[in-house]
Amino acid sequence: MVTAPPIRRPDDGAPRTVLVAGGAGFVGSHLCDALLAAGHTVICLDSFLTGSETNVAPLENHPRFRLVRHDICEPVAIEEPLDEIYNLACAASPPHYQADRVHTMLTSVQGTHNLLTLARAHGARFLQASTSEVYGDPEEHPQTEDYRGNVNCTGPRACYDEGKRAAETLCFDMLHGAGVDARVVRIFNTYGPRMRADDGRIISNLVVQALRNAPLTVYGSGAQTRSFCYVSDLVDGLMAMMAVTPNPQVPVNLGNPGEFAVRDLVAIIRSLIPTSSPVEHRPLPQDDPRRRRPDISRAKTLLGWAPRVTLAEGLPPTIDWFAQLAPPAAGRRDAVPRERASNIGATP
Ligand code: UDP
């Protein structure tokens, strides 16, 4: 149980050198932007397995940004002193992390160990991007950090779920056994610009399909739920967790508690994007979690963090992002009619 709320590290404005593993990915690249804007030096490490050069291309000539192509499954050596390390390096969508399950597992276990070893060598603070997937198909709802989860350790999602669980164990073992200032956040479903169109996740799929007038794919009945956090809120939460002092020494959920059934999401996307797309039901993937919603009491207490961007506010810029990747059908000028965007009633 969490007892005394720790004090947030005062923002003394001192520039720090920060390594972001997975920094060319969807979340990682937004984090790089935010760290640079805060005056820090950023070393972005990425294997480009799922990260994209386009995401970091605008930073290429930034004087405080350096890009290193590297797979964290291999040992990592950085010469300049590091103050902080964020580990966001792992394929995160089910189709991508299942494409090479052994590599996914090793990225979480071997890769996290390599970065923790680097953190120990540099005396750097370390933040591990864990996941709501550690709760598996949860039997408690909403999910608090004390819930220990319901994961099938031999199923198709296990490489990610169990890899991330093992990575959490490594973080706490290195915290208690080797003095590494390691922290763990459990990230729930996140969306926003820079998601990949072929990511395979629900928001990217539905938006791209609607823009192309292609069938909207609903797996199973569509009654399963998820909670969607806009990427800027998540980045704020990651930086708050890195900044808080003393180390909370417990995992912290980061997500938006607004909960939506997949079929509700279909209706919302249809209300935002004029489309003739029919719904196409497909089989529910094995071990697909039936419900997911974060309890964020701990993040509120420890970090003073809560998401601010509603789905109504976050979807239009997300749709605009996909529209410029895959232009909407002829005759449409605005992917998201603004008057419709304001009609989504759900709030976090
Ligand atoms: N899903 C769906 N159609 C799609 C993609 C996903 O119905 O085209 C469902 C999926 O089965 C799951 C939910 O949407 O129940 C969220 O899936 P996603 O892959 O976005 O994330 P995760 O399952 O990892 O939370």
Side-chain angles (χ1 to χ4, degrees):
M1 279 301 292
V2 179
T3 47
I7 307 152
R8 184 89 163 262
R9 182 169 64 183
D11 189 1
D12 55 9
R16 296 188 284 277
T17 302
V18 185
L19 184 136
V20 181
F26 157 51
V27 175
S29 62
H30 285 283
L31 177 62
C32 289
D33 287 347
L35 289 166
L36 288 168
H40 305 304
T41 295
V42 173
I43 301 171
C44 167
L45 210 68
D46 209 292
S47 69
F48 291 98
L49 189 67
T50 55
S52 155
E53 289 181 5
T54 314
N55 288 342
V56 287
L59 306 178
E60 200 180 5
N61 295 318
H62 194 292
R64 287 183 280 105
F65 180 79
R66 184 156 76 85
L67 179 63
V68 180
R69 185 180 289 265
H70 186 86
D71 184 332
I72 59 165
C73 291
E74 303 300 325
V76 188
I78 301 289
E79 281 184 10
E80 54 263 65
L82 295 173
D83 300 303
E84 297 174 349
I85 297 173
Y86 289 85
N87 181 17
L88 280 71
C90 192
S93 78
H96 286 168
Y97 70 63
Q98 289 169 9
D100 184 346
R101 297 183 195 182
V102 173
H103 185 261
T104 297
M105 177 62 117
L106 291 177
T107 299
S108 282
V109 180
Q110 188 72 45
T112 301
H113 184 249
N114 284 336
L115 291 175
L116 284 164
T117 302
L118 184 73
R120 183 171 56 180
H122 284 254
R125 198 173 278 188
F126 183 92
L127 188 144
Q128 170 68 9
S130 189
T131 169
S132 57
E133 290 281 338
V134 300
Y135 303 122
D137 184 10
E139 288 162 331
E140 284 184 17
H141 194 76
Q143 292 79 53
T144 68
E145 294 87 348
D146 292 330
Y147 176 52
R148 293 187 182 177
N150 175 35
V151 173
N152 174 5
C153 70
T154 60
R157 299 176 86 100
C159 57
Y160 189 71
D161 302 8
E162 295 290 7
K164 289 286 190 179
R165 287 170 70 95
E168 287 198 14
T169 307
L170 277 171
C171 289
F172 287 103
D173 287 346
M174 292 283 273
L175 168 69
H176 298 298
V180 176
D181 186 354
R183 292 116 191 273
V184 172
V185 290
R186 294 179 176 158
I187 300 173
F188 285 64
N189 297 62
T190 308
Y191 71 102
R194 300 189 192 158
M195 288 187 91
R196 285 174 56 143
D198 67 349
D199 178 281
R201 283 187 274 200
I202 185 68
I203 287 189
S204 45
N205 272 8
L206 292 179
V207 170
V208 170
Q209 289 159 352
L211 289 170
R212 293 176 179 165
N213 285 324
L216 304 172
T217 51
V218 171
Y219 304 160
S221 68
Q224 69 270 34
T225 69
R226 294 292 186 274
S227 303
F228 300 99
C229 186
Y230 192 65
V231 65
S232 60
D233 280 334
L234 176 64
V235 167
D236 287 347
L238 295 174
M239 291 172 71
M241 184 65 171
M242 186 64 102
V244 74
T245 189
N247 184 331
Q249 304 204 358
V250 285
V252 176
N253 287 341
L254 292 180
N256 190 319
E259 184 180 0
F260 298 85
V262 163
R263 58 182 169 223
D264 295 338
L265 203 55
V266 169
I268 290 168
I269 300 286
R270 275 182 155 162
S271 75
L272 293 175
I273 305 175
T275 183
S276 56
S277 299
V279 168
E280 184 180 293
H281 284 274
R282 295 196 184 161
L284 192 66
Q286 187 189 332
D287 298 333
D288 199 275
R290 285 160 293 175
R291 295 191 299 172
R292 185 183 288 156
R293 173 156 65 96
D295 181 315
I296 58 165
S297 310
R298 186 176 283 179
K300 284 181 176 168
T301 307
L302 290 180
L303 312 178
W305 176 89
R308 289 179 294 190
V309 181
T310 63
L311 199 59
E313 293 163 332
L315 276 176
T318 307
I319 294 171
D320 288 347
W321 159 256
F322 286 116
Q324 57 87 31
L325 287 182
R332 276 191 213 143
R333 285 184 303 193
D334 191 359
V336 188
R338 301 296 150 180
E339 69 281 6
R340 296 195 198 193
S342 60
N343 287 340
I344 303 171
T347 52

